[in-house]
Amino acid sequence: MDPHLLRTFVEVAETGSFSAAAERLNFTQSAVSQQIAALESDLGTSLLTRRPVRLTEAGERLRRHAKILLVRLEAARADVTRTSAPPGRLTLGLTPLAWSAPVAAALTRIRAESARLATRLLVAPLDRIVTATATGALDLGLVDGFTAPSDPLRLPEPGDPRSLRVAECPAVVAVPSGHPLARRTSVDLADLADAYWIDAPGVTPFRRLPVDGLRAGLHYDGAESTVLTGLIAAGHGLAVLPEWLLTGRADLAAIPLGVPRLVHRVELLRAPGVVDPAGPASLLAALLAP
Amino acid sequence: MDPHLLRTFVEVAETGSFSAAAERLNFTQSAVSQQIAALESDLGTSLLTRRPVRLTEAGERLRRHAKILLVRLEAARADVTRTSAPPGRLTLGLTPLAWSAPVAAALTRIRAESARLATRLLVAPLDRIVTATATGALDLGLVDGFTAPSDPLRLPEPGDPRSLRVAECPAVVAVPSGHPLARRTSVDLADLADAYWIDAPGVTPFRRLPVDGLRAGLHYDGAESTVLTGLIAAGHGLAVLPEWLLTGRADLAAIPLGVPRLVHRVELLRAPGVVDPAGPASLLAALLAP
DNA sequence: TGCGTTTACGTTGTGCGTAAGGATT
DNA sequence: AATCCTTACGCACAACGTAAACGCA
């Protein structure tokens, strides 16, 4: 179970080809073949079918473990080799809906206080932010999700349990302002089982829809929240969204959620070893004290 | 960052000696020295001071990562090599206070239903149960802890987030029955800042005391809960305990906790790949449906 | 027949043990 | 002087590349 072997195994699993994996990793086909054979003989199990190259059940399990292990290995290296000197620039990553008013304000304050600190910003899906933060590619990651009030987010591996709460706001059902439900003061999702929903995994942090059993009338694959709100306003369907996204919009109504009780929550992830790259008083404080 | 190197590094870190580590791992001193040198040159950092052998700051960080990584590596192996055939025997691990009435009842039912299934039981501290379950040394692990009501437990790495809630009961402050507080219907921990506490990390799942700022008058290092309750009854101090531990005891009073609102919670951990070793209907169902 | 994986084999390099060297108490 | 880690050196095995063989479309 050498990480080297795991790395090529993951590559083979994802490309579906020994030769393609070899090319990516700058090996020969032969070497890849031998490495996979070594893994299989070590574990005493077949991991891949050949021709076509597909994962066996054991292989699929190993792939999941291996991806996590490789990230954590990188994370460990990043943590150990991190110099104690404060970095010259700050790299910050966000999921699309983690960018809210308090975060914007905090960032403004940070940049005003430490103008010398060059800042890089990246917006990407949850998984990318989580792994990039774990490996130290990002100094800080802001991620969002829906949970029960005051519950921590359940992050995908290798999410760091030391994440800090940054903001929490009510989760609402977004409907067009002319919608029959628009004046309701509260709805339960169960009452909306017959409605059509917009499934937008790139925007909202649900993998699919917030609750099983809801029908998606439209699947939106982008990450642009204005497109999603536009689709809702145009009557293509409903979605569960954080309340702040809808404030000030005349074309949309926000209906508070009754059951299940959900909030939209933003948490701050730190790269291993990062306490506060901009000094103890400024960055974390700015993000955490809105 | 070969796992082999990490393994010997951890061994050196824990024994504080190259030669002792070499002996444990069946290597020569020389090999260990070379391995550590290889790690240090790979990471570009000094990990250990020699003479005396002590961890540097980077070394301490690596040690923490390495311990987790090695467990997860073993866990991956256990998961992949696990046969789909149901095992002939069931190995169950518990933390001391995870053994409560509903668990006892569930176990009785399990053994009655599947009498052929040999059962092994292990009681050990939280960390041991968590790692043993993760690596597949245990099929199932029952762990306990205190959290806010309906919150999941925050388990030490490499705790599996797929843990299942088994039981939850109120957390109470245990006092001798003659104690001035014994008739109170509720207390806040803040009100008890002046009291003396018994610090019993082997019994209660707090690392130290439930809240920082409480003074420990006595430190009990064992894992026997009857000793702890006995100490409380004898007036040596107070402790936060699950309510069921005190029911029926005339010498102790249980005062419900006001702030912070805490419950004692038992969760079930499954070894990787274990769904229900005794068949879909029996074991998990018995544990989860009290 | 052709594409892609496996096997054979020669070469290179890594990693261990033996044994000598060096440093610290 | 004793103990413990490091370095030097030789050997063995593991790992890769080249090239030929094999097997499935």
Side-chain angles (χ1 to χ4, degrees), chain B residues 171 173 186-192 211 214 240 256-262:
Chain B
V173 178
S186 164
V187 279
D188 297 349
L189 284 188
D191 299 339
L192 297 173
V211 171
L214 299 182
V240 172
L257 210 50
V259 176
R261 192 168 283 284
L262 287 179

Side-chain angles (χ1 to χ4, degrees), chain A residues 18-19 29-30 33 50-51 53:
Chain A
F18 283 50
S19 16
Q29 283 186 13
S30 165
S33 178
R50 323 296 152 98
R51 208 181 305 271
V53 173

